[in-house]
Amino acid sequence: MTHEMILAGFGGQGVMVMGQLLTYAGMLEGAHVSWIPSYGPEMRGGTANCSVIISQEPIGSPIVTEATAVVAMNLPSFEKFESSLSPGGILILNSSLIDRKSKRDDIKTYNVPANEIASSLGDARMANMVALGALNAALGYVVDTSRIMEAFKKIFAKKPAIIAPNELAILAGNKHIAV
């Protein structure tokens, strides 16, 4: 199966890291992967999104035109990318910052209060990891959570103190979808 995803938010919300971790985890599992970042006028505070494809088949084009999943960490991202979802797709909304509901009835929407969950774990900056865990669970675990953590440990090897808290955030996102 091929999963085409768009992860979007403000610069500084960690959407690029989410995409990198998914891509790296997919690679660790032997899947074909692609990751393409896109930044707005500023990296921190401007808009940012990335396209991620994880497939068991070779990827013909890294461009995502009809996403099977979208993560919107803020309202502008929701407004921009909701229409990019294919029918039957999955929408993860950071309900901490998005107070609107999707009007589409042909997609599955998950409202995830990522900022609140991350804050309850001790650091609001982990909202992206909560959203990543929620996305992976909503997709039926496109990659094993242990592979995401393996990728996290490799990318953040020089910051060992952040590994355990971020793993808790990912697991909290998994749990939010499982409830």
Side-chain angles (χ1 to χ4, degrees):
M1 174 149 196
T2 298
H3 294 280
E4 298 188 15
M5 300 162 270
I6 297 171
L7 315 175
F10 291 128
Q13 282 187 300
V15 295
M16 299 303 172
V17 171
M18 290 168 57
Q20 289 170 330
L21 289 171
L22 269 177
T23 304
Y24 200 153
M27 189 176 66
L28 290 170
E29 291 190 350
H32 298 269
V33 298
S34 76
W35 174 77
I36 297 182
S38 176
Y39 299 95
E42 302 109 353
M43 286 179 61
R44 181 166 287 283
T47 58
N49 69 81
C50 63
S51 299
V52 173
I53 302 174
I54 299 176
S55 179
Q56 298 310 311
E57 304 294 325
I59 298 168
S61 170
I63 306 299
V64 174
T65 55
E66 289 191 12
T68 54
V70 168
V71 174
M73 293 297 288
N74 62 13
L75 184 58
S77 297
F78 169 55
E79 291 171 338
K80 182 174 182 178
F81 293 110
E82 179 189 25
S83 64
S84 299
L85 265 172
S86 59
I90 291 173
L91 176 62
I92 304 290
L93 291 178
N94 178 8
S95 58
S96 298
L97 301 179
I98 302 169
D99 60 358
R100 283 204 236 149
K101 307 289 184 219
S102 174
K103 292 183 174 134
R104 291 184 59 180
D105 60 5
D106 63 340
I107 61 173
K108 176 69 177 157
T109 302
Y110 295 92
N111 294 299
V112 179
N115 292 58
E116 281 91 346
I117 293 170
S119 291
S120 75
L121 295 171
D123 192 340
R125 294 175 296 178
M126 297 186 302
N128 62 332
M129 294 299 102
V130 173
L132 176 59
L135 171 65
N136 199 35
L139 288 171
Y141 297 94
V142 62
V143 292
D144 192 273
T145 301
S146 67
R147 293 292 192 185
I148 294 173
M149 286 314 304
E150 186 178 344
F152 192 97
K153 289 173 187 172
K154 289 181 186 232
I155 291 171
F156 294 101
K158 294 185 178 185
K159 297 181 178 182
I162 69 169
I163 293 170
N166 279 278
E167 182 172 20
L168 290 175
I170 291 168
L171 294 173
N174 290 165
K175 184 179 177 183
H176 185 79
I177 297 302
V179 171

PDB file of all heavy atoms in Angstrom, residues 114-135:
ATOM      1  N   ALA A 114      -3.191  18.350  20.457  1.00  0.00           N
ATOM      2  CA  ALA A 114      -1.761  18.031  20.554  1.00  0.00           C
ATOM      3  C   ALA A 114      -1.016  18.930  21.539  1.00  0.00           C
ATOM      4  O   ALA A 114      -0.182  18.450  22.308  1.00  0.00           O
ATOM      5  CB  ALA A 114      -1.115  18.098  19.169  1.00  0.00           C
ATOM      6  N   ASN A 115      -1.310  20.225  21.532  1.00  0.00           N
ATOM      7  CA  ASN A 115      -0.613  21.131  22.453  1.00  0.00           C
ATOM      8  C   ASN A 115      -0.935  20.811  23.906  1.00  0.00           C
ATOM      9  O   ASN A 115      -0.046  20.800  24.760  1.00  0.00           O
ATOM     10  CB  ASN A 115      -0.961  22.586  22.149  1.00  0.00           C
ATOM     11  CG  ASN A 115      -0.400  23.056  20.831  1.00  0.00           C
ATOM     12  OD1 ASN A 115      -0.689  22.471  19.783  1.00  0.00           O
ATOM     13  ND2 ASN A 115       0.378  24.108  20.852  1.00  0.00           N
ATOM     14  N   GLU A 116      -2.215  20.532  24.197  1.00  0.00           N
ATOM     15  CA  GLU A 116      -2.605  20.215  25.566  1.00  0.00           C
ATOM     16  C   GLU A 116      -1.987  18.898  26.028  1.00  0.00           C
ATOM     17  O   GLU A 116      -1.507  18.795  27.158  1.00  0.00           O
ATOM     18  CB  GLU A 116      -4.134  20.156  25.711  1.00  0.00           C
ATOM     19  CG  GLU A 116      -4.792  21.513  25.818  1.00  0.00           C
ATOM     20  CD  GLU A 116      -5.206  22.068  24.455  1.00  0.00           C
ATOM     21  OE1 GLU A 116      -4.764  21.533  23.404  1.00  0.00           O
ATOM     22  OE2 GLU A 116      -5.954  23.049  24.437  1.00  0.00           O
ATOM     23  N   ILE A 117      -2.023  17.898  25.154  1.00  0.00           N
ATOM     24  CA  ILE A 117      -1.432  16.602  25.519  1.00  0.00           C
ATOM     25  C   ILE A 117       0.061  16.777  25.786  1.00  0.00           C
ATOM     26  O   ILE A 117       0.584  16.285  26.794  1.00  0.00           O
ATOM     27  CB  ILE A 117      -1.698  15.545  24.429  1.00  0.00           C
ATOM     28  CG1 ILE A 117      -3.194  15.213  24.355  1.00  0.00           C
ATOM     29  CG2 ILE A 117      -0.874  14.280  24.703  1.00  0.00           C
ATOM     30  CD1 ILE A 117      -3.594  14.359  23.164  1.00  0.00           C
ATOM     31  N   ALA A 118       0.745  17.490  24.898  1.00  0.00           N
ATOM     32  CA  ALA A 118       2.185  17.710  25.077  1.00  0.00           C
ATOM     33  C   ALA A 118       2.462  18.492  26.360  1.00  0.00           C
ATOM     34  O   ALA A 118       3.388  18.155  27.107  1.00  0.00           O
ATOM     35  CB  ALA A 118       2.761  18.445  23.863  1.00  0.00           C
ATOM     36  N   SER A 119       1.669  19.509  26.631  1.00  0.00           N
ATOM     37  CA  SER A 119       1.848  20.294  27.861  1.00  0.00           C
ATOM     38  C   SER A 119       1.652  19.428  29.100  1.00  0.00           C
ATOM     39  O   SER A 119       2.384  19.562  30.081  1.00  0.00           O
ATOM     40  CB  SER A 119       0.878  21.473  27.901  1.00  0.00           C
ATOM     41  OG  SER A 119       1.238  22.419  26.924  1.00  0.00           O
ATOM     42  N   SER A 120       0.677  18.519  29.027  1.00  0.00           N
ATOM     43  CA  SER A 120       0.433  17.643  30.183  1.00  0.00           C
ATOM     44  C   SER A 120       1.603  16.685  30.415  1.00  0.00           C
ATOM     45  O   SER A 120       1.788  16.185  31.514  1.00  0.00           O
ATOM     46  CB  SER A 120      -0.862  16.852  30.005  1.00  0.00           C
ATOM     47  OG  SER A 120      -0.695  15.805  29.067  1.00  0.00           O
ATOM     48  N   LEU A 121       2.403  16.473  29.378  1.00  0.00           N
ATOM     49  CA  LEU A 121       3.594  15.626  29.491  1.00  0.00           C
ATOM     50  C   LEU A 121       4.830  16.433  29.891  1.00  0.00           C
ATOM     51  O   LEU A 121       5.904  15.867  30.054  1.00  0.00           O
ATOM     52  CB  LEU A 121       3.857  14.905  28.171  1.00  0.00           C
ATOM     53  CG  LEU A 121       2.786  13.904  27.744  1.00  0.00           C
ATOM     54  CD1 LEU A 121       3.049  13.411  26.324  1.00  0.00           C
ATOM     55  CD2 LEU A 121       2.713  12.735  28.721  1.00  0.00           C
ATOM     56  N   GLY A 122       4.661  17.769  29.987  1.00  0.00           N
ATOM     57  CA  GLY A 122       5.758  18.596  30.477  1.00  0.00           C
ATOM     58  C   GLY A 122       6.382  19.550  29.484  1.00  0.00           C
ATOM     59  O   GLY A 122       7.213  20.371  29.856  1.00  0.00           O
ATOM     60  N   ASP A 123       6.000  19.474  28.191  1.00  0.00           N
ATOM     61  CA  ASP A 123       6.632  20.371  27.223  1.00  0.00           C
ATOM     62  C   ASP A 123       5.748  20.507  25.986  1.00  0.00           C
ATOM     63  O   ASP A 123       5.622  19.562  25.196  1.00  0.00           O
ATOM     64  CB  ASP A 123       8.002  19.834  26.821  1.00  0.00           C
ATOM     65  CG  ASP A 123       8.847  20.839  26.049  1.00  0.00           C
ATOM     66  OD1 ASP A 123       8.286  21.803  25.485  1.00  0.00           O
ATOM     67  OD2 ASP A 123      10.080  20.647  26.006  1.00  0.00           O
ATOM     68  N   ALA A 124       5.159  21.674  25.801  1.00  0.00           N
ATOM     69  CA  ALA A 124       4.266  21.928  24.668  1.00  0.00           C
ATOM     70  C   ALA A 124       4.974  21.771  23.324  1.00  0.00           C
ATOM     71  O   ALA A 124       4.326  21.570  22.294  1.00  0.00           O
ATOM     72  CB  ALA A 124       3.652  23.326  24.780  1.00  0.00           C
ATOM     73  N   ARG A 125       6.301  21.847  23.324  1.00  0.00           N
ATOM     74  CA  ARG A 125       7.049  21.708  22.068  1.00  0.00           C
ATOM     75  C   ARG A 125       6.958  20.289  21.504  1.00  0.00           C
ATOM     76  O   ARG A 125       7.342  20.063  20.352  1.00  0.00           O
ATOM     77  CB  ARG A 125       8.518  22.088  22.260  1.00  0.00           C
ATOM     78  CG  ARG A 125       8.709  23.565  22.580  1.00  0.00           C
ATOM     79  CD  ARG A 125      10.142  23.873  22.866  1.00  0.00           C
ATOM     80  NE  ARG A 125      10.561  23.158  24.079  1.00  0.00           N
ATOM     81  CZ  ARG A 125      11.785  23.186  24.576  1.00  0.00           C
ATOM     82  NH1 ARG A 125      12.735  23.879  23.970  1.00  0.00           N
ATOM     83  NH2 ARG A 125      12.076  22.526  25.683  1.00  0.00           N
ATOM     84  N   MET A 126       6.441  19.358  22.270  1.00  0.00           N
ATOM     85  CA  MET A 126       6.296  17.980  21.787  1.00  0.00           C
ATOM     86  C   MET A 126       4.961  17.747  21.084  1.00  0.00           C
ATOM     87  O   MET A 126       4.625  16.607  20.754  1.00  0.00           O
ATOM     88  CB  MET A 126       6.467  16.992  22.942  1.00  0.00           C
ATOM     89  CG  MET A 126       7.836  17.034  23.582  1.00  0.00           C
ATOM     90  SD  MET A 126       8.117  15.747  24.832  1.00  0.00           S
ATOM     91  CE  MET A 126       6.787  16.042  26.018  1.00  0.00           C
ATOM     92  N   ALA A 127       4.215  18.794  20.803  1.00  0.00           N
ATOM     93  CA  ALA A 127       2.921  18.654  20.121  1.00  0.00           C
ATOM     94  C   ALA A 127       3.079  17.938  18.783  1.00  0.00           C
ATOM     95  O   ALA A 127       2.205  17.158  18.384  1.00  0.00           O
ATOM     96  CB  ALA A 127       2.267  20.021  19.930  1.00  0.00           C
ATOM     97  N   ASN A 128       4.183  18.193  18.097  1.00  0.00           N
ATOM     98  CA  ASN A 128       4.396  17.516  16.818  1.00  0.00           C
ATOM     99  C   ASN A 128       4.527  16.003  16.994  1.00  0.00           C
ATOM    100  O   ASN A 128       4.040  15.230  16.168  1.00  0.00           O
ATOM    101  CB  ASN A 128       5.608  18.083  16.086  1.00  0.00           C
ATOM    102  CG  ASN A 128       6.920  17.917  16.831  1.00  0.00           C
ATOM    103  OD1 ASN A 128       6.964  17.865  18.061  1.00  0.00           O
ATOM    104  ND2 ASN A 128       8.012  17.872  16.086  1.00  0.00           N
ATOM    105  N   MET A 129       5.145  15.572  18.078  1.00  0.00           N
ATOM    106  CA  MET A 129       5.295  14.135  18.313  1.00  0.00           C
ATOM    107  C   MET A 129       3.957  13.490  18.688  1.00  0.00           C
ATOM    108  O   MET A 129       3.681  12.356  18.307  1.00  0.00           O
ATOM    109  CB  MET A 129       6.343  13.868  19.396  1.00  0.00           C
ATOM    110  CG  MET A 129       7.755  14.265  19.002  1.00  0.00           C
ATOM    111  SD  MET A 129       8.392  13.390  17.552  1.00  0.00           S
ATOM    112  CE  MET A 129       8.215  14.628  16.280  1.00  0.00           C
ATOM    113  N   VAL A 130       3.114  14.239  19.400  1.00  0.00           N
ATOM    114  CA  VAL A 130       1.757  13.761  19.688  1.00  0.00           C
ATOM    115  C   VAL A 130       1.006  13.568  18.373  1.00  0.00           C
ATOM    116  O   VAL A 130       0.383  12.522  18.139  1.00  0.00           O
ATOM    117  CB  VAL A 130       0.999  14.740  20.614  1.00  0.00           C
ATOM    118  CG1 VAL A 130      -0.459  14.330  20.767  1.00  0.00           C
ATOM    119  CG2 VAL A 130       1.682  14.845  21.980  1.00  0.00           C
ATOM    120  N   ALA A 131       1.089  14.566  17.494  1.00  0.00           N
ATOM    121  CA  ALA A 131       0.409  14.486  16.197  1.00  0.00           C
ATOM    122  C   ALA A 131       0.973  13.343  15.350  1.00  0.00           C
ATOM    123  O   ALA A 131       0.225  12.637  14.660  1.00  0.00           O
ATOM    124  CB  ALA A 131       0.532  15.815  15.458  1.00  0.00           C
ATOM    125  N   LEU A 132       2.286  13.141  15.400  1.00  0.00           N
ATOM    126  CA  LEU A 132       2.905  12.041  14.655  1.00  0.00           C
ATOM    127  C   LEU A 132       2.386  10.689  15.154  1.00  0.00           C
ATOM    128  O   LEU A 132       2.035   9.816  14.351  1.00  0.00           O
ATOM    129  CB  LEU A 132       4.426  12.114  14.783  1.00  0.00           C
ATOM    130  CG  LEU A 132       5.222  10.971  14.143  1.00  0.00           C
ATOM    131  CD1 LEU A 132       4.939  10.866  12.654  1.00  0.00           C
ATOM    132  CD2 LEU A 132       6.713  11.180  14.398  1.00  0.00           C
ATOM    133  N   GLY A 133       2.320  10.522  16.463  1.00  0.00           N
ATOM    134  CA  GLY A 133       1.784   9.278  17.020  1.00  0.00           C
ATOM    135  C   GLY A 133       0.334   9.069  16.627  1.00  0.00           C
ATOM    136  O   GLY A 133      -0.079   7.951  16.288  1.00  0.00           O
ATOM    137  N   ALA A 134      -0.453  10.150  16.639  1.00  0.00           N
ATOM    138  CA  ALA A 134      -1.864  10.063  16.252  1.00  0.00           C
ATOM    139  C   ALA A 134      -1.990   9.679  14.776  1.00  0.00           C
ATOM    140  O   ALA A 134      -2.801   8.813  14.418  1.00  0.00           O
ATOM    141  CB  ALA A 134      -2.565  11.394  16.531  1.00  0.00           C
ATOM    142  N   LEU A 135      -1.197  10.304  13.929  1.00  0.00           N
ATOM    143  CA  LEU A 135      -1.232   9.995  12.500  1.00  0.00           C
ATOM    144  C   LEU A 135      -0.897   8.525  12.256  1.00  0.00           C
ATOM    145  O   LEU A 135      -1.611   7.828  11.528  1.00  0.00           O
ATOM    146  CB  LEU A 135      -0.244  10.879  11.736  1.00  0.00           C
ATOM    147  CG  LEU A 135      -0.020  10.520  10.261  1.00  0.00           C
ATOM    148  CD1 LEU A 135      -1.294  10.730   9.461  1.00  0.00           C
ATOM    149  CD2 LEU A 135       1.130  11.322   9.685  1.00  0.00           C
TER     150      LEU A 135
END
